[in-house]
Amino acid sequence: MDVETAVEIHRKAIQDSIPDERVSTTLVPELEFKHWKKNGASLLSYPVGLAFSPKHSRLFITDRRLHAVFMVDMHCPANVTLIAGGGEPRHTNGYGNKARFRNPAGIAVKESGQLYICDQGNGRVRVVNLRTLFCHASQIVQGSAEESQSEEEDCAGRRIRKVHVHDLSLISEGNVPDLVSPFAICASAKGSVELFVSDVGLGKIFSISGVVDDEETNCVGQLNELFCFDRSSLLTSLALTRDEQYLLVGDGNGSCIHLCQVRGRLKLRTISNIPGLMGIAVTDGGTVFLSSSKEHVLFSLKEEEMLGGKETLTKVCGETAGHRDGV
């Protein structure tokens, strides 16, 4: 059975008749989604948040103006799939495009199968359950007649992959304020789920610990206040160092990174001269990438040099505003 085609066999008798060593399982979600388009200049309107899942080779994108979450399969980046939201901005939990966001911003992914999204306009953190994206199609509920767009789909009773969107309910103690305008978010990669969220309305950084997400409608976490910055700060980006002992806080107005110690809740120092800082990413190899919206440039520096206080910014690419591919 040498066929280079992604096939999902639903009959158990046929599955059992094929020797395991002859089977290679993969998924082609573009064939099972109702909403996907060819990648192009007009597809996204105002992309803000990016999160990559190495386990599944998927890139997830929030679009602030379209109030939506998109997914790109890095094995086939020509196709971009709408997985949640879109339509009129409001707050609605539910499946796929039935869910609603209002100006979604930062996004973080956990390999256990959740996306955590700062729904800035609604003042909430939302959870997107990705289980149906990567499970076998036989576990997916068949699409209803209401969802079908043609008689052909009605006859086929095709299975539609739809993610579920719900709120992360936050519990706080003492004088910890509620989130007002959450913008950036990052997640721990080790141990239990811990999230870090910036609130541009309050000028504060929060952690959300003890996150429990046992069911699609039951997600709870403890909200803790970590750092408070001047109200003139614009806390646009967050990233953890590889050992997760330090938090990098990008300040778009201050054109700098605030290096903070997580457990001690200490602001250690500031790395300046990064105009219009909008994004921070730390690679497994220890390179820190920084995007500048004012200079239209991507910078890099070494994590160990930054922690040692002797960082050197290097321009990776970019120079003037525009759209041009190249090396």
Side-chain angles (χ1 to χ4, degrees):
M1 195 156 132
D2 272 335
V3 182
E4 294 182 358
T5 306
V7 178
E8 290 188 333
I9 301 172
H10 302 294
R11 293 188 181 182
K12 191 173 187 305
I14 299 178
Q15 293 175 4
D16 294 342
S17 70
I18 304 173
D20 289 344
E21 63 270 15
R22 302 296 300 277
V23 177
S24 177
T25 304
T26 187
L27 293 174
V28 186
E30 288 78 15
L31 299 180
E32 299 195 12
F33 278 102
K34 295 174 70 67
H35 306 277
W36 67 275
K37 299 180 180 180
K38 187 175 181 180
N39 194 0
S42 62
L43 177 61
L44 300 176
S45 178
Y46 195 152
V48 175
L50 292 174
F52 179 65
S53 170
K55 179 179 179 181
H56 301 293
S57 295
R58 300 296 196 276
L59 180 68
F60 298 94
I61 306 168
T62 57
D63 193 298
R64 186 175 178 79
R65 287 192 183 133
L66 298 180
H67 315 288
V69 183
F70 292 87
M71 181 184 74
V72 181
D73 183 346
M74 300 309 291
H75 295 301
C76 186
N79 294 335
V80 179
T81 307
L82 170 67
I83 63 170
E88 292 298 317
R90 57 178 184 269
H91 173 258
T92 306
N93 292 325
Y95 286 93
N97 64 338
K98 302 296 184 184
R100 290 290 181 269
F101 298 88
R102 188 186 300 272
N103 304 126
I107 183 172
V109 63
K110 289 292 289 184
E111 298 297 354
S112 55
Q114 289 84 26
L115 286 180
Y116 297 95
I117 297 173
C118 287
D119 192 358
Q120 186 185 8
N122 287 316
R124 301 168 184 263
V125 175
R126 311 287 293 281
V127 184
V128 180
N129 190 321
L130 301 175
R131 184 188 63 82
T132 54
L133 295 188
F134 309 115
C135 69
H136 193 278
S138 60
Q139 301 176 38
I140 302 170
V141 178
Q142 288 189 350
S144 64
E146 179 185 356
E147 295 169 337
S148 299
Q149 300 296 314
S150 66
E151 292 183 6
E152 182 181 351
E153 286 191 11
D154 286 340
C155 294
R158 69 181 295 189
R159 290 172 169 85
I160 306 300
R161 294 185 182 275
K162 286 192 174 183
V163 299
H164 188 269
V165 181
H166 52 285
D167 292 337
L168 173 56
S169 300
L170 299 176
I171 302 170
S172 60
E173 298 177 354
N175 298 322
V176 177
D178 294 333
L179 295 178
V180 173
S181 188
F183 191 85
I185 188 169
C186 66
S188 61
K190 304 173 183 177
S192 59
V193 179
E194 185 171 14
L195 305 174
F196 299 89
V197 179
S198 73
D199 193 303
V200 294
L202 299 175
K204 296 177 183 287
I205 303 296
F206 297 86
S207 71
I208 303 175
S209 58
V211 177
V212 178
D213 190 11
D214 294 331
E215 300 176 6
E216 290 182 343
T217 57
N218 182 27
C219 190
V220 181
Q222 175 82 35
L223 185 68
N224 313 287
E225 183 178 328
L226 291 183
F227 306 104
C228 183
F229 293 87
D230 189 275
R231 284 297 184 97
S232 63
S233 299
L234 185 61
L235 309 178
T236 54
S237 48
L238 295 174
L240 285 165
T241 55
R242 288 175 294 171
D243 59 10
E244 301 190 353
Q245 294 186 30
Y246 302 94
L247 184 66
L248 309 181
V249 181
D251 185 342
N253 282 347
S255 300
C256 64
I257 296 175
H258 302 285
L259 178 61
C260 304
Q261 188 181 60
V262 176
R263 300 306 169 199
R265 300 191 180 188
L266 298 174
K267 299 178 190 175
L268 299 179
R269 65 191 188 88
T270 298
I271 302 167
S272 304
N273 300 319
I274 312 170
L277 178 61
M278 282 300 294
I280 306 175
V282 182
T283 70
D284 292 340
T287 301
V288 182
F289 288 100
L290 314 167
S291 64
S292 167
S293 63
K294 287 186 178 179
E295 294 194 357
H296 315 288
V297 168
L298 182 66
F299 295 102
S300 72
L301 55 86
K302 293 296 182 181
E303 180 189 88
E304 59 183 28
E305 294 178 359
M306 176 188 67
L307 296 178
K310 297 180 180 180
E311 67 280 345
T312 301
L313 276 178
T314 303
K315 187 173 82 169
V316 178
C317 61
E319 186 172 358
T320 59
H323 175 251
R324 182 178 64 195
D325 296 334
V327 178

